[in-house]
Amino acid sequence: MVLKMLTGSQAVAWAARLARVDYIPAYPITPQTEIIEILSEWVRKGEMEAIFVQMESEHSLFTAAGTAAATGARVFTATSSQGLLYGFEMLYSIAGWRAPLVLVNVARAVAAPITLEPDHNDVLAARDSGFLQFHAENVQEALDLVLFAYRVAEDHRVLLPAIVNIDGFHLSFTRERVELPEQSFVDEFLPEYNPVNPIRASEPVAKGIPVLIPPLYSFFKYQMHMASRNALNVFREAAKDFEKLFSRTYAPVEEYMVEDADTVIVMSNSFASAGKQAVSALREEGHKVGLLKIRLFRPFPTDDIIKSLRGKKCVVVIDQNISVGKGGIMCPEIAEALYHLEDRPRVILPVIAGLGGKSISLEEFRYAVRVAERLASLKAGPDGPLLLFREDEAILVESLLKTASGG
């Protein structure tokens, strides 16, 4: 094990190198480009034995990635935001081919208006595609979850592709201390990929064939669903092996001061670090608050969420995304997991925050918790999502709009 200061982009590039990937189709887009620049340099210098190919678009790179994985190659690629959307059609095809490649999405808010800062509308748009989804909070997790993604995706009980999501700028360009694992340990955790019925020139097989009989289509989709659910136990098994080798442990969700909490904040990715700081500050003020971080979003870890949140007074779900006209994407899934419980939380408050990389202040966390607890005391429910937006931000926006209009 070696300690290094790495950015999130450097960490996932190292993970691809340690995973001994065979093939890297790539196309640049900010803020993902640093990843493929690092990998292309290593391949050019002969430090990686992989084949690196720059494609003409994200649609082409996803097609190349999926077909290469279908032949039995271990494939890595990365994209961001509009790039993910441009290749979106192929996500469903790759999942249907049961091609277990790993795609790193460096989260960036979707245009328009255009920005380079992160939220999760890009990656969550792919939640129904059949890709597994791993969400990283920090640089160490970014590296480790890429290794987890290969281990789980390539398991014969799963055989589905995976997305590892890291937040653009906030994680991709943040440098943190990382434990870089030794190659021999990674090889033990992640053996060579053993594909099932790979496409070979000498042994042709059919994948993704037309099915014009409706029950046959339903059969294949149900197979994908059950394979994705299998990923929960495969993840837990992999976590035990990972802990033995690297002395770190991971679960589909992570609890922070949840055990005795009355109110629990639910969120994911790098902004969860700010959430943990807010929880610590609120604890010092006497509030019994905790945080539940969602690490594995697909398959959805329903049982883990029930275990953590049943019996709590209030749940505050912070969605760093917005389904325009409805609210957050994650909150309804949390609510559905808890609805049937007799001891479900009295209030599940949907909160929209952090869109386009907007910071979430301690006062905003404090306000959201206060709203949830007031609703609980009134035995009332929320009228709709709570949109966090501070007075200083309103003043800034008003000033900019005045300048833009020539006033």
Side-chain angles (χ1 to χ4, degrees):
M1 184 265 289
V2 176
L3 292 177
K4 279 183 172 286
M5 293 296 291
L6 298 177
T7 65
S9 296
Q10 291 169 330
V12 297
W14 264 108
R17 175 170 169 166
L18 290 165
R20 298 185 186 277
V21 301
D22 301 303
Y23 182 54
I24 308 164
Y27 191 77
I29 182 171
T30 301
Q32 171 275 136
T33 306
E34 184 186 16
I35 298 171
I36 59 172
E37 287 178 340
I38 295 167
L39 292 170
S40 67
E41 183 70 3
W42 285 341
V43 171
R44 185 185 68 79
K45 291 179 177 177
E47 296 175 8
M48 287 183 69
E49 294 183 0
I51 297 173
F52 181 97
V53 179
Q54 178 164 323
M55 312 300 292
E56 66 270 24
S57 73
E58 286 86 357
H59 193 282
S60 300
L61 88 82
F62 289 164
T63 305
T67 49
T71 69
R74 180 169 284 168
V75 179
F76 175 87
T77 191
T79 191
S80 179
S81 188
Q82 311 298 136
L84 183 68
L85 300 187
Y86 190 58
F88 202 79
E89 176 191 16
M90 289 309 302
L91 298 182
Y92 284 79
S93 294
I94 293 167
W97 299 340
R98 309 294 296 273
L101 60 87
V102 172
L103 160 67
V104 167
N105 182 66
V106 184
R108 192 186 98 186
V110 176
I114 194 167
T115 180
L116 300 179
E117 295 284 343
D119 63 33
H120 303 143
N121 268 92
D122 57 354
V123 66
L124 294 184
R127 69 188 185 279
D128 303 327
S129 66
F131 274 61
L132 312 175
Q133 285 204 8
F134 303 77
H135 291 247
E137 177 189 354
N138 53 51
V139 177
Q140 185 72 64
E141 266 196 26
L143 188 155
D144 293 343
L145 289 183
V146 171
L147 301 179
F148 263 84
Y150 279 112
R151 169 75 178 256
V152 176
E154 293 175 356
D155 190 285
H156 288 186
R157 292 166 287 178
V158 180
L159 289 177
L160 287 168
I163 293 175
V164 177
N165 190 70
I166 69 172
D167 284 343
F169 289 86
H170 290 252
L171 192 55
S172 63
F173 299 148
T174 295
R175 197 175 298 275
E176 297 176 355
R177 194 181 76 162
V178 174
E179 294 183 7
L180 193 63
E182 293 181 16
Q183 184 66 67
S184 60
F185 284 15
V186 175
D187 291 342
E188 185 174 348
F189 177 73
L190 187 61
E192 185 176 350
Y193 174 38
N194 177 26
V196 177
N197 298 322
I199 295 174
R200 296 278 192 272
S202 57
E203 300 175 12
V205 296
K207 290 182 183 286
I209 58 171
V211 288
L212 302 181
I213 303 173
L216 197 52
Y217 183 87
S218 295
F219 171 81
F220 283 121
K221 285 296 180 183
Y222 291 167
Q223 289 290 316
M224 291 171 63
H225 173 71
M226 290 187 285
S228 183
R229 300 305 299 173
N230 288 342
L232 285 162
N233 283 334
V234 174
F235 183 99
R236 294 187 182 99
E237 292 171 10
K240 291 178 182 176
D241 292 343
F242 192 88
E243 185 175 12
K244 290 176 186 174
L245 289 166
F246 305 109
S247 302
R248 292 188 295 281
T249 186
Y250 291 102
V253 300
E254 177 186 310
E255 293 185 350
Y256 183 75
M257 298 188 181
V258 164
E259 188 174 3
D260 67 337
D262 292 329
T263 299
V264 179
I265 298 168
V266 179
M267 56 193 309
S268 67
N269 288 101
S270 68
F271 280 48
S273 295
K276 291 175 180 175
Q277 290 179 337
V279 165
S280 297
L282 290 167
R283 283 272 175 171
E284 291 180 2
E285 297 171 5
H287 300 282
K288 294 175 70 173
V289 181
L291 184 142
L292 185 70
K293 185 179 75 176
I294 307 299
R295 181 177 285 123
L296 186 63
F297 192 72
R298 284 293 182 273
F300 195 66
T302 304
D303 291 343
D304 300 82
I305 288 167
I306 290 173
K307 184 179 177 183
S308 296
L309 298 182
R310 72 182 316 160
K312 300 301 181 188
K313 181 179 173 185
C314 302
V315 171
V316 177
V317 183
I318 297 184
D319 266 298
Q320 202 179 341
N321 63 77
I322 185 164
S323 175
V324 176
K326 175 62 176 72
I329 293 170
M330 185 166 61
C331 187
E333 302 205 10
I334 299 291
E336 188 270 341
L338 301 172
Y339 178 77
H340 66 285
L341 302 175
E342 290 185 0
D343 56 348
R344 61 181 176 268
R346 291 180 216 165
V347 170
I348 300 175
L349 178 66
V351 178
I352 306 295
L355 297 184
K358 191 188 96 60
S359 65
I360 310 174
S361 66
L362 170 59
E363 182 53 38
E364 287 171 290
F365 282 109
R366 186 184 287 121
Y367 178 70
V369 169
R370 196 161 59 231
V371 169
E373 293 180 344
R374 188 175 70 242
L375 288 171
S377 69
L378 296 173
K379 297 183 178 179
D383 293 331
L386 180 66
L387 308 177
L388 295 184
F389 203 75
R390 302 191 302 271
E391 184 176 2
D392 62 300
E393 293 167 333
I395 294 171
L396 172 64
V397 169
E398 185 178 0
S399 171
L400 293 172
L401 291 177
K402 186 176 180 181
T403 301
S405 62

